[in-house]
Amino acid sequence: MTLSGDAGQPRRCQWAISVPDFYMRYHDEEWGVPCFDEGRMFEMLLLEGAQAGLSWRTVLARRDGYRRAFCGFNPERIARFGEADIARLLADPGIIRNRAKIEAAIGNARALLGLRDKAARPERALTDLFWSVVDGRPRQNAWRSHDTVPATSSASDRLAKELKRLGFRFVGSTIVYAHMQACGLVNDHLVSCWRYAPVRAMGEAIAD
């Protein structure tokens, strides 16, 4: 079921009002909007990987900390991080201080640079890879209940397998599907949510 906010407020996806201070603005302005910006695609890949085993609230609250600690999510700079940088990050309370996730973020920056070396459009290598699994068009779902929204799909399964082959880590199908939802490769707003129709219109405009 979808819940409303206060009287007169638009209806939103249930998760968006579970912790309004953290989720509502993100839901209303970012989540599900088709993204073709390479920088944000990489940012979300690192943040979704950091979420593994945790709540999205935990990561979202540290987003600015990640942006600062990881050089604005610049893959060229992150790829050059060494042991001194890992030690610095492990001591940084503004991020999740998990060595495996920190090392994966560095490895993913290096994997992205490797992907760019082989890509027809290096400046959009990650973006093109993600959008290829949906043929460049957002998948328009029509979920009526939060309980029916899937955690994975056949597309996220394929993409996770390809990312792992390319050397990316913390990119299981669940993480990849969450990235696809966030960056608008799928429209998983509930049909009762006020954002469903605007996000659908954005996707249909791309398809045209």
Side-chain angles (χ1 to χ4, degrees), residues 71-83:
C71 305
F73 300 103
N74 183 306
E76 290 85 1
R77 294 182 66 182
I78 298 170
R80 294 195 294 269
F81 282 6
E83 283 300 323

Side-chain angles (χ1 to χ4, degrees), residues 113-134:
L113 297 186
L115 176 62
R116 286 179 176 177
D117 287 340
K118 307 169 188 174
R121 298 192 295 179
E123 74 283 0
R124 287 188 50 169
L126 190 64
T127 303
D128 286 346
L129 176 62
F130 265 83
W131 281 97
S132 69
V133 300
V134 291

Side-chain angles (χ1 to χ4, degrees), residues 50-102:
Q51 182 194 357
L54 303 170
S55 71
W56 184 235
R57 175 184 179 179
T58 300
V59 177
L60 202 59
R62 292 167 173 77
R63 192 176 189 179
D64 288 340
Y66 270 93
R67 188 173 287 118
R68 171 186 48 76
F70 284 90
C71 305
F73 300 103
N74 183 306
E76 290 85 1
R77 294 182 66 182
I78 298 170
R80 294 195 294 269
F81 282 6
E83 283 300 323
D85 296 289
I86 293 173
R88 168 181 62 82
L89 293 168
L90 286 170
D92 190 337
I95 67 168
I96 295 164
R97 293 176 284 183
N98 177 294
R99 188 179 185 94
K101 292 179 179 180
I102 290 169

Side-chain angles (χ1 to χ4, degrees), residues 20-182:
D21 291 346
F22 281 92
Y23 291 150
M24 197 171 290
R25 183 174 179 179
Y26 172 71
H27 168 274
D28 288 1
E29 297 180 5
E30 292 186 58
W31 195 74
V33 174
C35 174
F36 292 89
D37 179 85
E38 185 81 353
R40 183 165 184 266
M41 293 289 281
F42 183 60
E43 173 184 353
M44 296 308 295
L45 186 66
L46 264 57
L47 292 178
E48 295 289 357
Q51 182 194 357
L54 303 170
S55 71
W56 184 235
R57 175 184 179 179
T58 300
V59 177
L60 202 59
R62 292 167 173 77
R63 192 176 189 179
D64 288 340
Y66 270 93
R67 188 173 287 118
R68 171 186 48 76
F70 284 90
C71 305
F73 300 103
N74 183 306
E76 290 85 1
R77 294 182 66 182
I78 298 170
R80 294 195 294 269
F81 282 6
E83 283 300 323
D85 296 289
I86 293 173
R88 168 181 62 82
L89 293 168
L90 286 170
D92 190 337
I95 67 168
I96 295 164
R97 293 176 284 183
N98 177 294
R99 188 179 185 94
K101 292 179 179 180
I102 290 169
E103 291 180 342
I106 297 168
N108 288 349
R110 294 169 181 167
L112 174 54
L113 297 186
L115 176 62
R116 286 179 176 177
D117 287 340
K118 307 169 188 174
R121 298 192 295 179
E123 74 283 0
R124 287 188 50 169
L126 190 64
T127 303
D128 286 346
L129 176 62
F130 265 83
W131 281 97
S132 69
V133 300
V134 291
D135 299 322
R137 299 182 176 187
R139 297 277 171 85
Q140 301 296 337
N141 293 318
W143 312 116
R144 298 187 177 277
S145 166
H146 176 77
D147 295 338
T148 60
V149 180
T152 64
S153 68
S154 58
S156 68
D157 291 345
R158 295 194 307 272
L159 183 52
K161 183 176 180 180
E162 178 63 9
L163 286 166
K164 290 175 184 177
R165 187 188 71 79
L166 292 167
F168 289 86
R169 289 181 282 171
F170 279 89
V171 287
S173 188
T174 300
I175 289 173
V176 168
Y177 192 73
H179 186 290
M180 292 172 64
Q181 290 175 311

